[in-house]
Coordinates of all heavy atoms in Angstrom, one line a residue:
M1 N 56.8 141.7 231.0 CA 56.1 142.5 231.9 C 56.5 141.9 233.4 O 56.5 140.8 233.7 CB 54.5 142.2 231.8 CG 53.7 143.0 232.8 SD 51.9 142.8 232.5 CE 51.3 143.9 233.7
R2 N 56.7 142.9 234.3 CA 57.0 142.6 235.6 C 55.9 143.0 236.6 O 55.2 144.0 236.4 CB 58.3 143.3 236.0 CG 59.5 142.8 235.4 CD 60.7 143.4 235.9 NE 61.9 143.0 235.2 CZ 63.1 143.3 235.6 NH1 63.3 144.2 236.6 NH2 64.1 142.8 235.0
N3 N 55.6 142.1 237.6 CA 54.7 142.5 238.7 C 55.4 142.9 239.9 O 56.4 142.2 240.3 CB 53.7 141.2 238.9 CG 52.9 141.0 237.8 OD1 52.5 141.9 237.0 ND2 52.7 139.6 237.5
F4 N 55.0 143.9 240.5 CA 55.7 144.2 241.8 C 54.6 144.1 242.9 O 53.5 144.4 242.8 CB 56.1 145.7 241.7 CG 57.3 145.9 240.7 CD1 57.0 146.4 239.4 CD2 58.5 145.6 241.0 CE1 58.0 146.5 238.5 CE2 59.6 145.8 240.1 CZ 59.3 146.2 238.8
L5 N 55.2 143.8 244.1 CA 54.3 143.6 245.3 C 54.6 144.9 246.2 O 55.8 145.1 246.5 CB 54.7 142.3 246.1 CG 54.0 142.2 247.4 CD1 52.5 141.9 247.2 CD2 54.6 140.9 248.0
I6 N 53.6 145.6 246.5 CA 53.9 146.8 247.3 C 53.2 146.4 248.7 O 52.2 145.9 248.9 CB 53.0 148.0 246.8 CG1 53.5 148.2 245.4 CG2 53.0 149.1 247.7 CD1 52.8 149.3 244.7
I7 N 54.1 146.5 249.7 CA 53.8 146.1 251.1 C 52.5 146.7 251.6 O 51.7 146.0 252.3 CB 54.9 146.3 252.0 CG1 56.2 145.6 251.6 CG2 54.6 146.1 253.5 CD1 56.1 144.1 251.5
S8 N 52.2 147.9 251.3 CA 51.0 148.5 251.8 C 49.7 147.8 251.2 O 48.6 147.9 251.7 CB 50.9 150.0 251.4 OG 51.0 150.1 250.1
D9 N 49.9 147.0 250.1 CA 48.8 146.3 249.6 C 48.4 145.1 250.5 O 47.4 144.5 250.3 CB 49.0 145.7 248.2 CG 49.2 146.8 247.2 OD1 48.7 147.9 247.4 OD2 49.8 146.5 246.2
L10 N 49.2 144.7 251.4 CA 49.1 143.5 252.2 C 48.3 144.0 253.6 O 48.8 143.5 254.7 CB 50.3 142.8 252.5 CG 51.0 142.5 251.2 CD1 52.4 141.8 251.6 CD2 50.2 141.5 250.5
S11 N 47.2 144.6 253.6 CA 46.6 145.1 254.8 C 46.0 143.9 255.6 O 45.8 144.1 256.9 CB 45.4 146.0 254.5 OG 44.5 145.3 253.6
Y12 N 45.9 142.7 255.1 CA 45.3 141.6 255.8 C 46.4 140.9 256.7 O 46.1 140.1 257.5 CB 44.8 140.6 254.8 CG 45.7 140.0 253.9 CD1 46.4 138.8 254.2 CD2 45.9 140.6 252.7 CE1 47.5 138.4 253.3 CE2 46.9 140.1 251.7 CZ 47.6 139.0 252.1 OH 48.5 138.5 251.2
L13 N 47.7 141.3 256.6 CA 48.6 140.6 257.4 C 48.6 141.0 258.9 O 48.2 142.2 259.2 CB 50.1 141.0 256.9 CG 50.5 140.3 255.5 CD1 51.8 140.7 255.1 CD2 50.3 138.8 255.5
Q14 N 49.0 140.1 259.7 CA 48.9 140.4 261.2 C 50.3 140.1 261.8 O 51.0 139.3 261.3 CB 47.8 139.5 261.9 CG 46.4 139.6 261.4 CD 45.6 138.7 262.2 OE1 45.9 138.1 263.2 NE2 44.4 138.4 261.7
S15 N 50.6 140.8 262.9 CA 51.8 140.5 263.6 C 51.6 139.2 264.3 O 50.5 138.9 264.8 CB 52.2 141.6 264.5 OG 52.4 142.8 263.9
I16 N 52.7 138.3 264.5 CA 52.6 137.1 265.4 C 53.8 137.3 266.3 O 54.8 137.9 266.1 CB 52.7 136.0 264.6 CG1 54.0 135.9 263.8 CG2 51.5 135.8 263.6 CD1 54.3 134.5 263.1
N17 N 53.6 136.6 267.5 CA 54.7 136.5 268.4 C 55.2 135.0 268.3 O 54.8 134.1 267.6 CB 54.2 136.8 269.8 CG 53.1 135.9 270.3 OD1 53.1 134.8 270.0 ND2 52.1 136.5 271.0
N18 N 56.4 134.8 269.1 CA 57.0 133.5 269.1 C 56.2 132.3 269.4 O 56.3 131.3 268.9 CB 58.3 133.6 270.0 CG 59.4 134.4 269.3 OD1 59.4 134.7 268.2 ND2 60.3 134.8 270.2
S19 N 55.3 132.6 270.3 CA 54.4 131.4 270.7 C 53.4 131.1 269.5 O 52.9 129.9 269.7 CB 53.6 131.7 272.0 OG 52.7 132.8 271.7
S20 N 53.2 131.8 268.6 CA 52.3 131.5 267.5 C 53.0 130.7 266.4 O 52.4 130.2 265.5 CB 51.8 132.8 266.8 OG 51.1 133.6 267.8
L21 N 54.3 130.6 266.5 CA 55.0 129.9 265.4 C 54.8 128.4 265.4 O 54.9 127.7 264.4 CB 56.5 130.2 265.5 CG 56.9 131.6 265.3 CD1 58.5 131.8 265.5 CD2 56.5 132.1 264.0
L22 N 54.5 127.8 266.5 CA 54.4 126.3 266.7 C 52.8 126.0 266.9 O 52.3 126.5 267.9 CB 55.1 125.8 267.9 CG 55.1 124.2 268.0 CD1 55.8 123.7 266.8 CD2 55.8 123.8 269.3
V23 N 52.2 125.3 266.0 CA 50.7 125.1 266.2 C 50.6 123.6 266.3 O 50.5 122.7 265.4 CB 50.1 125.5 264.8 CG1 48.6 125.3 265.0 CG2 50.4 126.9 264.5
G24 N 50.7 123.2 267.6 CA 50.3 121.8 268.0 C 51.2 120.7 267.6 O 50.8 119.6 267.5
G25 N 52.4 120.9 267.3 CA 53.3 119.9 266.7 C 54.6 119.9 267.5 O 55.0 120.7 268.4
A26 N 55.4 118.9 267.2 CA 56.7 118.6 267.8 C 57.6 118.0 266.7 O 57.1 117.2 265.9 CB 56.7 117.7 269.0
Y27 N 58.9 118.5 266.7 CA 59.8 117.9 265.8 C 61.2 117.7 266.5 O 61.5 118.6 267.3 CB 60.1 119.0 264.7 CG 61.2 118.6 263.7 CD1 61.0 117.6 262.8 CD2 62.5 119.1 264.0 CE1 62.1 117.1 262.0 CE2 63.5 118.7 263.1 CZ 63.3 117.8 262.1 OH 64.4 117.3 261.4
A28 N 61.9 116.7 266.1 CA 63.2 116.4 266.7 C 64.0 115.7 265.6 O 63.5 114.9 264.9 CB 63.1 115.5 267.9
G29 N 65.3 116.2 265.5 CA 66.2 115.6 264.6 C 67.6 115.6 265.1 O 68.0 116.4 265.8
A30 N 68.3 114.5 264.8 CA 69.7 114.3 265.2 C 70.5 113.7 264.1 O 70.1 112.9 263.3 CB 69.8 113.4 266.4
V31 N 71.8 114.2 264.0 CA 72.7 113.7 263.0 C 74.1 113.6 263.5 O 74.5 114.6 264.3 CB 72.6 114.5 261.7 CG1 73.0 116.0 261.9 CG2 73.3 114.0 260.5
T32 N 74.9 112.6 263.1 CA 76.2 112.5 263.4 C 77.1 112.1 262.2 O 76.6 111.6 261.3 CB 76.5 111.5 264.5 OG1 76.0 110.2 264.1 CG2 75.7 111.8 265.8
T33 N 78.4 112.4 262.3 CA 79.3 112.0 261.3 C 80.7 111.8 261.9 O 81.1 112.5 262.8 CB 79.4 113.1 260.1 OG1 80.3 112.6 259.1 CG2 79.9 114.4 260.6
T34 N 81.4 110.8 261.4 CA 82.8 110.5 261.9 C 83.6 110.1 260.7 O 83.1 109.6 259.7 CB 82.7 109.4 263.0 OG1 82.2 108.2 262.4 CG2 82.0 109.9 264.2
K35 N 84.9 110.4 260.8 CA 85.8 110.0 259.7 C 87.1 109.8 260.4 O 87.6 110.7 261.2 CB 85.9 110.9 258.6 CG 86.8 110.5 257.5 CD 86.7 111.4 256.4 CE 87.6 110.9 255.2 NZ 87.5 111.6 254.0
T36 N 87.8 108.8 260.1 CA 89.3 108.5 260.5 C 90.1 108.1 259.3 O 89.7 107.5 258.4 CB 89.3 107.4 261.6 OG1 88.8 106.2 261.1 CG2 88.5 107.8 262.8
S37 N 91.4 108.2 259.5 CA 92.5 107.9 258.6 C 93.7 107.8 259.4 O 93.7 108.1 260.6 CB 92.6 108.9 257.5 OG 93.5 108.4 256.5
Q38 N 94.8 107.5 258.8 CA 96.1 107.5 259.5 C 96.4 108.9 260.0 O 96.6 109.8 259.2 CB 97.2 106.9 258.5 CG 98.5 106.6 259.3 CD 99.5 106.0 258.5 OE1 99.3 105.8 257.4 NE2 100.6 105.6 259.1
G39 N 96.6 109.0 261.4 CA 96.9 110.2 261.9 C 95.7 111.3 261.9 O 96.1 112.6 262.1
F40 N 94.6 110.9 261.7 CA 93.4 111.9 261.5 C 92.2 111.3 262.1 O 91.9 110.1 261.9 CB 93.3 112.2 260.0 CG 92.1 113.0 259.7 CD1 92.1 114.3 259.8 CD2 90.9 112.3 259.3 CE1 91.0 115.1 259.4 CE2 89.9 113.1 258.9 CZ 89.9 114.4 259.0
A41 N 91.4 112.1 262.7 CA 90.1 111.7 263.3 C 89.2 113.0 263.5 O 89.7 114.0 263.9 CB 90.2 111.0 264.6
T42 N 88.0 112.9 263.0 CA 87.0 114.1 263.1 C 85.7 113.5 263.5 O 85.3 112.4 263.0 CB 87.0 114.9 261.9 OG1 86.2 116.1 262.2 CG2 86.5 114.1 260.7
A43 N 84.9 114.2 264.3 CA 83.7 113.8 264.7 C 82.7 115.1 264.8 O 83.2 116.1 265.2 CB 83.6 113.1 266.1
G44 N 81.4 114.9 264.3 CA 80.5 116.0 264.3 C 79.2 115.5 264.8 O 78.8 114.4 264.5
A45 N 78.5 116.4 265.5 CA 77.1 116.0 265.9 C 76.2 117.2 266.0 O 76.6 118.3 266.3 CB 77.1 115.4 267.3
G46 N 74.9 117.0 265.5 CA 74.0 118.1 265.6 C 72.6 117.7 266.0 O 72.2 116.4 265.7
A47 N 71.9 118.4 266.8 CA 70.6 118.1 267.3 C 69.7 119.3 267.2 O 70.1 120.4 267.6 CB 70.6 117.5 268.7
V48 N 68.4 119.1 266.9 CA 67.4 120.2 267.0 C 66.1 119.6 267.4 O 65.7 118.5 267.1 CB 67.2 120.8 265.5 CG1 66.7 119.8 264.5 CG2 66.3 122.0 265.6
A49 N 65.4 120.4 268.2 CA 64.1 120.1 268.8 C 63.3 121.3 268.8 O 63.7 122.3 269.2 CB 64.2 119.5 270.2
I50 N 62.0 121.2 268.4 CA 61.0 122.2 268.3 C 59.7 121.8 269.0 O 59.2 120.6 268.6 CB 60.8 122.6 266.9 CG1 62.1 123.1 266.2 CG2 59.7 123.7 266.8 CD1 61.8 123.2 264.7
G51 N 59.3 122.4 269.9 CA 58.1 122.1 270.7 C 57.9 122.9 272.0 O 58.8 123.9 272.2
E52 N 57.0 122.6 272.8 CA 56.7 123.4 274.0 C 57.9 123.0 275.0 O 58.5 123.9 275.8 CB 55.4 123.1 274.6 CG 54.3 123.7 273.8 CD 52.9 123.4 274.5 OE1 52.9 122.6 275.3 OE2 52.0 124.1 273.9
T53 N 58.2 121.7 275.1 CA 59.2 121.2 275.9 C 60.4 120.6 275.1 O 60.0 119.7 274.2 CB 58.8 120.2 277.0 OG1 57.7 120.8 277.7 CG2 59.8 119.7 277.8
T54 N 61.6 120.9 275.2 CA 62.7 120.4 274.3 C 63.8 120.0 275.1 O 64.1 120.6 276.2 CB 63.0 121.4 273.2 OG1 63.5 122.5 273.8 CG2 61.9 121.8 272.3
Y55 N 64.6 119.1 274.5 CA 65.9 118.7 275.1 C 66.8 118.3 274.0 O 66.3 117.5 273.1 CB 65.7 117.6 276.0 CG 67.0 116.9 276.5 CD1 67.8 117.5 277.5 CD2 67.4 115.7 275.9 CE1 69.0 116.9 278.0 CE2 68.6 115.1 276.4 CZ 69.4 115.7 277.3 OH 70.6 115.1 277.7
T56 N 68.1 118.7 274.0 CA 69.1 118.3 273.0 C 70.3 118.0 273.7 O 70.7 118.6 274.8 CB 69.3 119.3 271.9 OG1 69.7 120.5 272.4 CG2 68.0 119.6 271.0
Y57 N 71.1 117.0 273.1 CA 72.4 116.7 273.7 C 73.3 116.2 272.6 O 72.8 115.4 271.7 CB 72.2 115.5 274.6 CG 73.4 114.8 275.1 CD1 74.2 115.5 276.2 CD2 73.9 113.7 274.6 CE1 75.4 114.9 276.7 CE2 75.1 113.1 275.0 CZ 75.8 113.7 276.1 OH 77.0 113.1 276.5
T58 N 74.5 116.6 272.6 CA 75.5 116.1 271.6 C 76.8 116.0 272.3 O 77.2 116.7 273.4 CB 75.7 117.2 270.4 OG1 76.2 118.5 271.0 CG2 74.5 117.4 269.6
K59 N 77.6 115.0 271.9 CA 78.9 114.7 272.4 C 79.8 114.1 271.3 O 79.3 113.3 270.5 CB 78.8 113.6 273.5 CG 80.1 113.3 274.2 CD 80.0 112.4 275.3 CE 81.3 112.1 275.9 NZ 81.2 111.0 277.0
T60 N 81.0 114.7 271.2 CA 81.9 114.2 270.2 C 83.4 113.9 270.9 O 83.7 114.6 271.9 CB 82.1 115.2 269.1 OG1 82.7 116.4 269.6 CG2 80.9 115.4 268.3
K61 N 84.1 113.0 270.4 CA 85.4 112.7 270.8 C 86.2 112.2 269.7 O 85.7 111.2 269.1 CB 85.3 111.7 272.0 CG 86.7 111.5 272.6 CD 86.6 110.5 273.8 CE 88.0 110.3 274.4 NZ 87.9 109.3 275.5
A62 N 87.4 112.7 269.5 CA 88.3 112.3 268.5 C 89.7 112.0 269.1 O 90.1 112.9 269.9 CB 88.5 113.4 267.4
T63 N 90.2 110.9 268.8 CA 91.5 110.4 269.3 C 92.5 110.0 268.3 O 92.1 109.2 267.5 CB 91.3 109.3 270.4 OG1 90.3 109.8 271.4 CG2 92.6 108.9 271.1
V64 N 93.7 110.4 268.4 CA 94.8 109.9 267.4 C 96.0 109.6 268.3 O 96.4 110.4 269.1 CB 95.2 110.9 266.4 CG1 96.3 110.5 265.6 CG2 93.9 111.3 265.5
K65 N 96.4 108.3 268.2 CA 97.6 107.9 269.1 C 98.6 107.1 268.2 O 98.2 106.4 267.3 CB 97.1 107.0 270.2 CG 96.3 107.7 271.2 CD 95.9 106.8 272.4 CE 95.1 107.5 273.4 NZ 94.7 106.6 274.5
N66 N 99.8 107.1 268.5 CA 100.8 106.4 268.0 C 101.5 105.5 269.1 O 101.9 106.0 270.1 CB 102.0 107.2 267.3 CG 103.0 106.3 266.7 OD1 103.9 105.9 267.4 ND2 102.9 106.1 265.4
R67 N 101.3 104.2 268.9 CA 101.8 103.2 269.9 C 102.9 102.3 269.2 O 102.7 101.2 268.9 CB 100.7 102.3 270.4 CG 99.5 103.0 271.0 CD 99.8 103.4 272.4 NE 98.7 104.0 273.0 CZ 98.7 104.6 274.1 NH1 99.9 104.6 274.9 NH2 97.6 105.0 274.7
G68 N 104.1 102.9 269.1 CA 105.1 102.3 268.4 C 104.9 102.0 266.9 O 104.9 102.9 266.1
S69 N 104.7 100.8 266.7 CA 104.4 100.4 265.1 C 102.9 100.4 264.9 O 102.6 99.8 263.8 CB 105.1 99.1 264.9 OG 104.5 98.1 265.7
L70 N 102.1 101.0 265.7 CA 100.7 101.1 265.4 C 100.2 102.5 265.5 O 100.4 103.2 266.6 CB 99.9 100.2 266.5 CG 98.4 100.1 266.4 CD1 98.0 99.5 265.1 CD2 97.8 99.4 267.6
D71 N 99.5 103.0 264.5 CA 98.8 104.2 264.5 C 97.4 103.9 264.8 O 96.7 103.1 264.1 CB 98.9 105.0 263.2 CG 100.3 105.7 263.0 OD1 101.0 105.8 264.1 OD2 100.7 106.1 261.9
Y72 N 96.7 104.6 265.7 CA 95.3 104.4 266.0 C 94.5 105.7 266.0 O 95.0 106.6 266.6 CB 95.3 103.9 267.5 CG 94.0 103.8 268.2 CD1 93.1 102.7 267.9 CD2 93.5 104.8 269.0 CE1 91.9 102.6 268.5 CE2 92.3 104.6 269.6 CZ 91.5 103.6 269.4 OH 90.3 103.5 270.0
S73 N 93.4 105.6 265.3 CA 92.6 106.8 265.3 C 91.1 106.3 265.5 O 90.7 105.3 265.0 CB 92.6 107.4 263.8 OG 93.9 107.9 263.5
R74 N 90.4 107.1 266.3 CA 89.0 106.8 266.6 C 88.3 108.1 266.7 O 88.7 109.1 267.3 CB 88.9 106.0 268.0 CG 87.5 105.7 268.3 CD 87.4 104.9 269.6 NE 86.0 104.6 269.9 CZ 85.6 103.6 270.5 NH1 86.3 102.5 270.6 NH2 84.2 103.5 270.6
A75 N 86.9 108.1 266.3 CA 86.1 109.2 266.4 C 84.7 108.7 266.8 O 84.2 107.7 266.3 CB 86.0 109.9 265.0
D76 N 84.1 109.4 267.8 CA 82.9 108.9 268.3 C 82.0 110.2 268.3 O 82.4 111.3 268.7 CB 82.9 108.4 269.7 CG 83.6 107.1 269.8 OD1 83.2 106.2 269.4 OD2 84.8 107.1 270.4
A77 N 80.7 110.1 267.9 CA 79.7 111.2 267.9 C 78.4 110.6 268.4 O 77.9 109.6 267.9 CB 79.6 111.9 266.6
T78 N 77.7 111.4 269.2 CA 76.3 111.0 269.7 C 75.5 112.3 269.7 O 75.9 113.4 270.1 CB 76.4 110.5 271.2 OG1 77.2 109.3 271.2 CG2 75.0 110.1 271.7
A79 N 74.3 112.1 269.2 CA 73.3 113.3 269.2 C 71.9 112.7 269.6 O 71.4 111.7 269.2 CB 73.2 113.9 267.8
L80 N 71.2 113.4 270.5 CA 69.9 113.1 271.0 C 69.1 114.4 270.9 O 69.5 115.5 271.2 CB 69.9 112.7 272.5 CG 70.9 111.5 272.8 CD1 70.9 111.4 274.3 CD2 70.2 110.3 272.2
A81 N 67.8 114.3 270.6 CA 66.8 115.3 270.5 C 65.5 114.8 270.9 O 65.1 113.8 270.6 CB 66.7 116.0 269.1
Y82 N 64.8 115.6 271.8 CA 63.4 115.3 272.3 C 62.6 116.6 272.2 O 63.0 117.6 272.6 CB 63.5 114.7 273.7 CG 62.2 114.5 274.4 CD1 61.4 113.5 274.2 CD2 61.7 115.6 275.2 CE1 60.1 113.3 274.8 CE2 60.5 115.5 275.8 CZ 59.7 114.3 275.6 OH 58.5 114.3 276.3
A83 N 61.4 116.4 271.9 CA 60.4 117.6 271.8 C 59.0 117.1 272.2 O 58.6 115.9 271.7 CB 60.3 118.2 270.5
R84 N 58.2 117.9 272.9 CA 57.0 117.6 273.3 C 56.1 118.8 273.2 O 56.4 119.9 273.7 CB 56.9 116.9 274.7 CG 55.3 116.6 275.1 CD 55.3 116.0 276.4 NE 55.7 116.8 277.5 CZ 54.9 117.8 278.0 NH1 53.7 118.0 277.6 NH2 55.4 118.7 278.9
T85 N 54.9 118.7 272.6 CA 53.9 119.7 272.6 C 52.5 119.0 272.9 O 52.1 118.2 272.1 CB 53.8 120.5 271.2 OG1 55.0 121.1 271.0 CG2 52.7 121.5 271.3
G86 N 51.9 119.2 274.0 CA 50.7 118.5 274.3 C 51.0 117.1 274.4 O 51.9 116.7 275.1
N87 N 50.2 116.3 273.7 CA 50.4 114.9 273.6 C 51.2 114.4 272.4 O 51.4 113.2 272.3 CB 49.1 114.1 273.7 CG 48.2 114.3 272.4 OD1 48.6 115.3 271.6 ND2 47.1 113.7 272.2
K88 N 51.8 115.3 271.7 CA 52.6 114.9 270.6 C 54.1 114.9 271.0 O 54.6 115.9 271.6 CB 52.4 115.9 269.4 CG 51.0 115.9 268.9 CD 50.8 116.8 267.7 CE 49.4 116.8 267.4 NZ 48.7 116.8 266.6
I89 N 54.8 113.8 270.7 CA 56.1 113.6 271.1 C 57.0 113.2 269.9 O 56.6 112.4 269.1 CB 56.3 112.6 272.3 CG1 55.5 113.0 273.5 CG2 57.7 112.3 272.6 CD1 55.5 111.9 274.6
A90 N 58.1 113.9 269.9 CA 59.1 113.4 268.7 C 60.4 113.3 269.4 O 60.8 114.0 270.3 CB 59.1 114.6 267.7
S91 N 61.2 112.3 269.0 CA 62.5 112.0 269.5 C 63.4 111.5 268.4 O 62.9 110.9 267.4 CB 62.5 111.1 270.7 OG 62.1 109.8 270.4
S92 N 64.7 111.8 268.5 CA 65.6 111.2 267.4 C 67.0 111.0 268.1 O 67.3 111.7 269.1 CB 65.8 112.3 266.3 OG 66.7 111.9 265.3
R93 N 67.6 109.9 267.7 CA 68.9 109.7 268.3 C 69.9 109.1 267.1 O 69.4 108.4 266.2 CB 68.8 108.5 269.3 CG 70.2 108.1 269.9 CD 69.8 107.1 271.0 NE 69.6 105.7 270.3 CZ 69.7 104.6 270.9 NH1 69.9 104.5 272.1 NH2 69.5 103.5 270.1
D94 N 71.0 109.5 267.1 CA 72.1 109.0 266.1 C 73.3 108.9 266.8 O 73.8 109.7 267.7 CB 72.1 110.0 265.0 CG 72.8 109.4 263.8 OD1 72.7 108.2 263.6 OD2 73.3 110.2 263.0
R95 N 74.1 107.8 266.5 CA 75.4 107.6 267.0 C 76.3 107.1 265.9 O 75.8 106.3 265.1 CB 75.3 106.6 268.2 CG 76.6 106.3 268.8 CD 76.6 105.5 269.9 NE 78.0 105.3 270.3 CZ 78.4 105.1 271.5 NH1 77.5 105.1 272.6 NH2 79.6 104.9 271.8
N96 N 77.5 107.5 265.9 CA 78.5 107.1 264.8 C 79.9 106.9 265.4 O 80.2 107.7 266.3 CB 78.5 108.1 263.7 CG 78.9 107.6 262.4 OD1 79.6 106.7 262.3 ND2 78.3 108.3 261.4
T97 N 80.6 105.8 265.0 CA 81.9 105.6 265.4 C 82.7 105.1 264.2 O 82.3 104.2 263.5 CB 82.0 104.5 266.5 OG1 81.3 104.9 267.7 CG2 83.4 104.2 267.0
S98 N 83.9 105.6 264.1 CA 84.9 105.2 263.1 C 86.2 104.9 263.8 O 86.7 105.6 264.8 CB 85.1 106.3 262.1 OG 84.0 106.6 261.4
I99 N 86.9 103.8 263.3 CA 88.2 103.4 263.9 C 89.1 103.0 262.8 O 88.7 102.3 261.9 CB 88.0 102.2 264.9 CG1 87.1 102.6 266.0 CG2 89.4 101.7 265.4 CD1 86.8 101.3 266.9
S100 N 90.3 103.5 262.9 CA 91.3 103.1 261.8 C 92.6 102.7 262.6 O 93.1 103.3 263.6 CB 91.8 104.3 261.0 OG 90.7 104.8 260.2
L101 N 93.1 101.6 262.2 CA 94.5 100.9 262.7 C 95.4 100.8 261.5 O 95.0 100.3 260.5 CB 94.1 99.6 263.3 CG 93.2 99.6 264.5 CD1 92.9 98.1 265.0 CD2 93.8 100.4 265.7
Y102 N 96.6 101.2 261.7 CA 97.6 101.2 260.7 C 98.9 100.6 261.3 O 99.4 101.2 262.3 CB 97.9 102.6 260.0 CG 96.8 103.0 259.2 CD1 95.8 103.8 259.8 CD2 96.7 102.7 257.8 CE1 94.8 104.3 259.0 CE2 95.6 103.1 257.0 CZ 94.7 104.0 257.7 OH 93.7 104.5 256.8
L103 N 99.4 99.6 260.7 CA 100.7 99.0 261.1 C 101.8 99.8 260.4 O 101.7 100.0 259.2 CB 100.9 97.6 260.8 CG 99.9 96.6 261.7 CD1 100.0 95.2 261.3 CD2 100.2 96.8 263.2
T104 N 102.8 100.3 261.1 CA 103.9 101.1 260.6 C 105.3 100.4 260.9 O 105.3 99.6 261.8 CB 103.9 102.4 261.1 OG1 104.1 102.4 262.5 CG2 102.6 103.3 260.8
N105 N 106.2 100.6 260.1 CA 107.5 100.1 260.4 C 108.2 100.8 261.5 O 108.2 102.0 261.6 CB 108.4 100.1 259.1 CG 107.9 99.2 258.1 OD1 107.3 98.3 258.3 ND2 108.2 99.8 256.8
P106 N 108.7 100.1 262.4 CA 109.4 100.7 263.6 C 110.7 101.4 263.1 O 111.2 101.3 262.2 CB 109.7 99.6 264.6 CG 109.6 98.3 263.8 CD 108.8 98.6 262.6

């Protein structure tokens, strides 16, 4: 037996606006990832903030260099998030760095 939901049966539902979605809370989250290998570097960062007042910041940098007999790879990632609603404050910070050095034959 299957049950079906008919939208017209939901007469008690009300419309809401965007300001109704947050009820007295604040949330902040930050995440970073880095990876390096010979001739390879990658960096990623993400930040999310939910509240009446919010701030997010992300920065990534990936560098690959060859210095004669040395291969150098570096990846840096930073993420910050801040949220405030009333007297509730949430913040999150994450930072990640990876470095690889490889000696090669000239």
Side-chain angles (χ1 to χ4, degrees):
M1 176 178 189
R2 291 185 179 186
N3 294 324
F4 293 98
L5 176 66
I6 300 172
I7 299 301
S8 63
D9 291 341
L10 302 177
S11 60
Y12 61 88
L13 292 181
Q14 301 175 17
S15 297
I16 61 170
N17 58 36
N18 289 340
S19 64
S20 302
L21 297 177
L22 185 67
V23 183
Y27 172 81
V31 63
T32 60
T33 182
T34 59
K35 184 174 181 174
T36 58
S37 186
Q38 187 173 8
F40 172 84
T42 185
V48 62
I50 301 170
E52 288 177 351
T53 303
T54 62
Y55 170 79
T56 60
Y57 170 82
T58 60
K59 181 178 179 181
T60 60
K61 183 177 180 181
T63 305
V64 176
K65 293 182 180 180
N66 179 280
R67 302 285 186 183
S69 61
L70 178 68
D71 281 345
Y72 169 81
S73 300
R74 179 177 177 141
D76 296 289
T78 301
L80 305 167
Y82 168 87
R84 182 180 61 81
T85 299
N87 64 353
K88 296 181 187 221
I89 296 174
S91 65
S92 182
R93 180 180 77 164
D94 196 27
R95 183 176 173 146
N96 206 330
T97 298
S98 296
I99 299 173
S100 295
L101 299 171
Y102 291 91
L103 292 175
T104 60
N105 291 331

